[in-house]
Amino acid sequence: ELKVEQNPLFLSMQEGKNYTIYCNYSTTSDRLYWYRQDPGKSLESLFVLLSNGAVKQEGRLMASLDTKARLSTLHITAAVHDLSATYFCAVGPFSGGYNKLIFGAGTRLAVHP
Amino acid sequence: DAGVTQSPTHLIKTRGQQVTLRCSPISGHKSVSWYQQVLGQGPQFIFQYYEKEERGRGNFPDRFSARQFPNYSSELNVNALLLGDSALYLCASSWDRVFDEQFFGPGTRLTVL
């Protein structure tokens, strides 16, 4: 069974601190995505990682991909309150010829003073 | 350019009723996918339609059906609603069938009482 596991599921961070969210997946996939979701809202695309060793950065967030370990990380640098949200990783597509994404359960991030 | 649009925004139904949700993709996108997101979980793939044909289906019962129209908009129908169908239903569009990044709409919040 295809699985995408994120940890931690809940993360309470102090402003200014650094932390990393981990995303493990159980099968080969062409791409890995990171999304942000604010309460009651839709998914906002953050990063698309296409190949082994890919690293992308946007502001205080940096994502990386290790396809051999089937692991992606989302690193948060000097957290600020505006980063409070739920972060999802997703993998896909897979063999079968259609664009299906499998999501992790999400990491709920709360940044406090 | 307009993004993915969905209607209605919110919907309340009772058990046993039927519901139809609507999605308009980004202009030029030919693929529409539907996802169900139960509160506190990651989205789960329901269907993908491309060029008006079903291209992929997730692990959902036959009560769930969908179609895509010549203008590439799509409807998701759910019959015989159960309490467990309460969720945020997300529509995503992409240009091609398999590899193009999916862009998510704002979602329809369905509550089944």
Side-chain angles (χ1 to χ4, degrees):
Chain A
E1 181 182 338
L2 305 174
K3 286 187 178 180
V4 179
E5 296 182 342
Q6 287 183 238
N7 69 83
L9 297 182
F10 299 96
L11 180 55
S12 180
M13 291 181 65
Q14 197 171 15
E15 282 188 329
K17 298 293 186 181
N18 305 331
Y19 209 84
T20 300
I21 300 171
Y22 296 89
C23 174
N24 290 91
Y25 53 99
S26 63
T27 191
T28 303
S29 173
D30 287 292
R31 301 180 177 193
L32 189 134
Y33 299 83
W34 284 97
Y35 292 92
R36 169 181 171 146
Q37 187 176 42
D38 292 296
K41 304 294 185 181
S42 188
L43 298 172
E44 174 191 354
S45 178
L46 295 174
F47 301 108
V48 181
L49 302 172
L50 302 179
S51 60
N52 188 43
V55 177
K56 290 195 174 181
Q57 183 164 5
E58 181 72 32
R60 300 175 188 275
L61 301 178
M62 183 175 71
S64 66
L65 178 62
D66 181 345
T67 58
K68 294 179 181 178
R70 295 180 183 167
L71 170 69
S72 180
T73 61
L74 181 66
H75 186 73
I76 303 159
T77 302
V80 294
H81 179 72
D82 285 350
L83 290 179
S84 298
T86 300
Y87 293 85
F88 292 95
C89 64
V91 296
F94 305 93
S95 62
Y98 57 95
N99 200 351
K100 170 183 176 180
L101 295 179
I102 296 179
F103 286 80
T107 297
R108 188 175 300 175
L109 172 65
V111 181
H112 55 87
Chain B
D1 288 340
V4 178
T5 60
Q6 292 185 243
S7 63
T9 304
H10 297 91
L11 206 50
I12 299 175
K13 293 285 188 178
T14 57
R15 282 177 296 176
Q17 286 189 312
Q18 175 264 340
V19 68
T20 298
L21 312 180
R22 295 176 177 83
C23 171
S24 291
I26 292 171
S27 178
H29 284 191
K30 299 180 179 180
S31 171
V32 170
S33 296
W34 288 94
Y35 291 80
Q36 180 197 64
Q37 186 180 20
V38 173
L39 192 63
Q41 298 181 18
Q44 288 199 332
F45 174 80
I46 309 176
F47 287 111
Q48 183 195 16
Y49 275 75
Y50 178 77
E51 289 284 15
K52 302 177 286 296
E53 292 187 13
E54 182 183 307
R55 301 292 182 168
R57 184 185 183 110
N59 189 23
F60 281 80
D62 291 343
R63 299 185 296 109
F64 289 76
S65 63
R67 55 179 176 169
Q68 188 177 33
F69 299 98
N71 66 354
Y72 302 110
S73 66
S74 177
E75 287 182 350
L76 175 69
N77 296 286
V78 187
N79 294 322
L81 285 167
L82 303 174
L83 295 178
D85 294 331
S86 295
L88 180 68
Y89 288 85
L90 296 166
C91 171
S93 78
S94 59
W95 185 80
D96 75 1
R97 184 165 64 100
V98 182
F99 291 106
D100 194 39
E101 181 178 0
Q102 297 180 55
F103 295 88
F104 286 84
T108 294
R109 172 72 63 186
L110 172 64
T111 302
V112 182
L113 302 176

